[in-house]
Amino acid sequence: MRRLEPAEPPVPKKQLKEMLTQGLLCELRINLYHDLKKILGDRMGKDVHRQLYNMSSNRSADGYLGGDFSMEHIMKMELLNFPLLGFDVYGEGNKEDGRDVYYEHITRCPFWEYTKMKGIKEMPCDITCKYDSERAMKEGIGRWECLSRQADGKDECVFRIRPFRQFEKEDDIRKILFNRTRLRYKYTERFNDVF
């Protein structure tokens, strides 16, 4: 019997690894969403996808956050992990009105690139970043406010992030949860809607 050798990669191995990682990631997030909608119908498909996404996110967050849910730690972990998934991202921390505020800048999003490449009309933001933002609000971690998105023709996605612990009254948190940030762009308006 003769031993088979792997095929020669069509592109350098590092680039091939990036392509495979991006393909698998998008397959799990974007294609699964569309497949579930086809199989289960629009509403139930979306609900099941959201549940699967939240379960998966809870498992991974427990592992890499190690119980430290401070906003600065979360930001630093995102800056570590996101590039491994194909994102180009950087963050900034600041004080505004004496309170902690963080900004996350995404200049390359593999989900957006995949969506454009495949000609998918539905924006990936509604089934990726929006889910994460909703989870953070429901769990009382913080509010990720979308200021701009590549899907709206901007150069980068920008999120303004504030921890919930800095809001003194429960009413302040309720206002944040139920306020809708209105931007002029077609898709961003839906992204900032909160159920």
Side-chain angles (χ1 to χ4, degrees):
M1 200 168 290
R2 71 185 164 88
R3 182 182 176 124
L4 294 175
E5 297 298 322
E8 284 298 312
V11 294
K13 281 188 179 180
K14 184 178 179 186
Q15 185 181 350
L16 183 62
K17 182 180 175 184
E18 288 174 7
M19 289 167 58
L20 289 172
T21 301
Q22 180 177 338
L24 288 171
L25 180 68
C26 293
E27 180 70 31
L28 289 171
R29 295 276 174 99
I30 296 171
N31 293 341
L32 177 62
Y33 172 77
H34 291 287
D35 292 345
L36 286 169
K37 284 190 352 177
K38 283 179 193 168
I39 293 167
L40 302 172
D42 196 61
R43 184 176 175 86
M44 186 177 277
K46 287 178 181 179
D47 289 343
V48 169
H49 185 265
R50 184 183 303 273
Q51 290 172 28
L52 290 171
Y53 188 95
N54 287 335
M55 288 172 65
S56 171
S57 295
N58 285 337
R59 271 195 307 274
S60 64
D62 289 345
Y64 79 77
L65 289 177
D68 184 353
F69 290 93
S70 69
M71 191 58 61
E72 187 159 335
H73 182 66
I74 291 171
M75 289 292 296
K76 287 179 178 179
M77 292 309 292
E78 286 186 355
L79 296 175
L80 170 69
N81 292 325
F82 280 24
L84 299 174
L85 301 173
F87 288 87
D88 289 340
V89 60
Y90 68 95
E92 301 169 317
N94 203 356
K95 289 261 187 207
E96 293 178 8
D97 298 324
R99 296 179 174 184
D100 292 334
V101 177
Y102 297 90
Y103 289 88
E104 188 171 68
H105 301 260
I106 298 173
T107 56
R108 178 178 180 256
C109 172
F111 297 119
W112 174 233
E113 289 177 359
Y114 182 82
T115 301
K116 287 190 299 184
M117 179 181 73
K118 294 291 186 179
I120 298 171
K121 292 183 180 154
E122 195 164 356
M123 295 299 108
C125 317
D126 293 333
I127 58 171
T128 54
C129 295
K130 181 177 179 181
Y131 283 6
D132 287 336
S133 300
E134 289 173 351
R135 243 181 92 247
M137 286 190 284
K138 286 178 184 171
E139 293 178 10
I141 295 169
R143 179 176 192 223
W144 270 247
E145 179 184 2
C146 184
L147 302 179
S148 74
R149 294 189 329 174
Q150 293 174 357
D152 296 323
K154 299 296 182 184
D155 291 333
E156 62 181 10
C157 299
V158 179
F159 296 90
R160 180 176 186 239
I161 304 159
R162 294 177 287 164
F164 267 172
R165 71 177 188 283
Q166 70 189 19
F167 297 99
E168 289 114 23
K169 300 177 191 164
E170 198 173 310
D171 288 345
D172 291 337
I173 293 172
R174 277 200 192 103
K175 285 178 192 170
I176 289 168
L177 284 172
F178 297 106
N179 271 349
R180 295 166 68 156
T181 304
R182 296 285 182 193
L183 297 179
R184 291 173 300 165
Y185 306 104
K186 181 177 175 183
Y187 298 108
T188 307
E189 192 169 290
R190 280 189 303 150
F191 177 84
N192 280 318
D193 289 352
V194 178
F195 308 158

